[in-house]
Amino acid sequence: MVGITAFGAYIPYNRLDRKHLKAAFGGSVPKGEKAVANYDEDSLTMAAQAALDCVTPLDPKTIDVLYFATTTSPYREKQGASTIAGVLDLRRDVRVADFTDSLRAGSAAMLAAIDAARNGNQVMITMGDCRLGAAAGPHEANFGDGACAFVMGSENVVAEVLGSYSVSVDFHDLWRSEDDKFVRSWEERFCVTQGYNKFISQAANGVMAKTGLAPKDFAKAVVYGHIPRNQLDIARRLGLKPGQVQDSLFEKIGNTGVACAPMMLAAALEEAQPGDKILFVSYGEGSDAIVFQVTENIKGFTGPRGVKGYLDRKKVTMNYEKYLRWRELITTEPARRPLQKRSSLPDYYRNYKKNLAFYGCQCMACGTPQFPPSRICIQCQAVDQMKDYRFYGRTARVATYTVDYLAESLDPPTVVAVVDFEGGGRMFCYLVDCDPDAVNVGMEVEMSFRRLFVVDGIHTYFWKATPKIG
């Protein structure tokens, strides 16, 4: 038996009420909110957070393969999967690869993971997107940011793969060329009638014929749609009833691109019962359809926050001007201070475990953990008697903090905190995704992988603190 053994998700804390788009440009906009990645988040950091959520019930050292899927990688030439493998603290001999350049990259990675799992591997697929639509256009209102992750394997399977079917066609409906900042699109009616409806129908009907199943056999159908109207219309064409169609999350977070259908699948699994059959259908230059059957193991599956855990953790106070600043779509007054120097690449590499997997050290003489790692113990002054000590996942609280209204930031004020870890260890870091007025000494926080800055095309990532969820 091969299938999904674990799943997780990540949704950014900040949401933009679409009424601000209507106020800015007038006209009709969809109801609800769109999830907006913070200025220090991107598709890679979100995918990393989803992967950390997914791996909660597992030993990360058992992962053999890691795939990262996105259409908005921070690099045009450099793998994101290798960075995420470092964040997860995977083995050095793990196989990694990026799947890019198509909305179907997520399902393509899932199918590759299924094949690898059949060969005895445990495979993680993590996906995230931060697509941009041009101002006053439909994509700006429709697109949202988010990520999810799955592990495919042959042990403790919670959703078995019963079959798959793919359709691949060279078709232009959404695209970006080398220098495009915004997603381009062709006329909607042509794209839907000649592309979307045909490809989705062919893939869905193909997998049903292959597995011998009919529309009535599915407890839930996860069907990608650019907007809910597309999803509901194609579901009707396939013979599915409205109650079978999984919520697209469009009014809550928007269309999250590569992660859109997979996030719907994760949400469906959160509510699934043993024996449920789920039809999963993606889209992008064709379509991939996969049928899953939920197993008894779903009853004992615990650990990740998933879609449900992140959905209601939100702040909906941001305005359109802040959204434009975060996406660097307007130019703001630069800080009157020296420019940020880029990271030292040799130093960044040498401190790989500290920067990505969040390792400090622990003194073997007195047992004191400390961060950053050091040769000399701050407690007993023992020299070169240290062992690796990972701080990620350990309970942490604010020891002291300051709220800085003068420091340059795309989201002022800047909150800087000293964080103490349970069992020992202290670090100085930024505190983000918080209400500055609600921060207090003793407040429980958790660590989040974020982007510090980008200089000379080099993205420097590190850890920041966020308020503890739940």
Side-chain angles (χ1 to χ4, degrees), residues 21 27 39 63 68 112 133 151 183 209 219 221 224 245 247 270 276 284 330 351 374-375 403 457:
L21 301 177
Y39 69 92
I63 302 295
F68 170 46
V151 173
V183 174
Y224 174 88
V245 182
D247 179 14
E270 290 172 358
D276 286 353
I330 57 175
N351 289 287
S374 172
R375 292 179 57 197
V403 181

Side-chain angles (χ1 to χ4, degrees), residues 88-414:
L88 293 174
D89 193 30
L90 303 187
R91 307 188 316 265
R92 277 292 182 101
D93 65 342
V94 68
R95 185 190 309 163
V96 299
D98 285 5
F99 286 69
T100 62
D101 302 334
S102 169
L103 282 177
R104 204 153 50 103
S107 58
M110 290 172 70
L111 290 170
I114 291 168
D115 290 340
R118 288 189 175 123
N119 289 324
N121 295 295
Q122 185 157 238
V123 189
M124 172 171 280
I125 320 103
T126 186
M127 53 209 86
D129 247 342
C130 291
R131 296 190 298 163
L132 279 177
H139 298 321
E140 182 183 51
N142 296 342
F143 292 169
D145 304 329
C148 69
F150 299 90
V151 173
M152 297 288 183
S154 56
E155 297 181 3
N156 301 314
V157 172
V158 298
E160 180 187 4
V161 176
L162 298 185
S164 64
Y165 191 93
S166 295
V167 174
S168 297
V169 184
D170 182 17
F171 185 78
H172 285 71
D173 56 352
L174 300 173
W175 71 91
R176 281 186 297 125
S177 62
E178 180 72 12
D179 299 319
D180 284 333
K181 190 179 187 70
F182 305 110
V183 174
R184 297 175 181 265
S185 60
W186 194 241
E187 193 270 325
E188 181 183 10
R189 184 176 56 178
F190 171 80
C191 295
V192 171
T193 60
Q194 301 305 307
Y196 175 84
N197 286 345
K198 290 184 177 181
F199 306 154
I200 292 276
S201 296
Q202 290 168 11
N205 288 323
V207 79
M208 283 190 280
K210 191 173 180 179
T211 56
L213 298 172
K216 64 180 177 59
D217 297 322
F218 296 101
K220 283 295 179 182
V222 173
V223 182
Y224 174 88
H226 297 309
I227 55 177
R229 183 178 70 247
N230 300 149
Q231 178 197 32
L232 295 173
D233 182 55
I234 193 65
R236 178 182 56 80
R237 291 169 181 264
L238 291 172
L240 296 162
K241 296 180 179 179
Q244 292 176 280
V245 182
Q246 180 65 31
D247 179 14
S248 68
L249 304 173
F250 183 82
E251 290 190 5
K252 299 180 180 72
I253 59 175
N255 182 319
T256 54
V258 160
C260 183
M263 290 181 76
M264 293 162 59
L265 175 60
L269 289 171
E270 290 172 358
E271 304 294 334
Q273 298 298 318
D276 286 353
K277 293 181 178 62
I278 299 174
L279 173 64
F280 170 85
V281 191
S282 68
Y283 175 74
E285 296 83 57
S287 177
D288 294 318
I290 310 172
V291 172
F292 295 96
Q293 180 165 298
V294 180
T295 73
E296 289 289 335
N297 292 326
I298 198 73
K299 292 180 178 179
F301 182 74
T302 58
R305 293 194 176 111
V307 174
K308 187 186 298 183
Y310 281 107
L311 205 53
D312 293 328
R313 175 189 174 266
K314 63 181 180 178
K315 183 179 180 181
V316 199
T317 59
M318 73 181 305
N319 55 32
Y320 187 61
E321 183 266 340
K322 178 179 282 190
Y323 170 77
L324 294 176
R325 282 194 288 120
W326 282 10
R327 293 296 169 266
E328 299 181 355
L329 298 177
I330 57 175
T331 302
T332 56
E333 180 72 21
R336 294 177 175 86
R337 58 184 65 187
L339 294 176
Q340 171 73 51
K341 295 182 179 179
R342 72 166 172 82
S343 298
S344 164
L345 295 184
D347 179 75
Y348 199 64
Y349 169 72
R350 292 187 185 111
N351 289 287
Y352 175 90
K353 294 184 70 172
K354 178 195 79 173
N355 296 332
L356 299 185
F358 199 36
Y359 271 94
C361 62
Q362 184 179 30
C363 178
M364 292 185 288
C366 69
T368 301
Q370 50 202 61
F371 188 90
S374 172
R375 292 179 57 197
I376 303 173
C377 177
I378 59 172
Q379 186 66 33
C380 71
Q381 285 75 57
V383 179
D384 291 336
Q385 296 187 48
M386 299 295 180
K387 64 179 180 179
D388 288 340
Y389 184 92
R390 195 179 186 205
F391 281 90
Y392 179 77
R394 300 183 185 275
T395 300
R397 297 186 183 277
V398 173
T400 187
Y401 69 95
T402 184
V403 181
D404 189 343
Y405 286 85
L406 299 178
E408 180 187 17
S409 173
L410 288 173
D411 188 25
T414 298

Side-chain angles (χ1 to χ4, degrees), residues 50-62:
L52 288 166
D53 186 47
C54 179
V55 83
T56 301
L58 304 175
D59 175 3
K61 299 298 186 184
T62 64

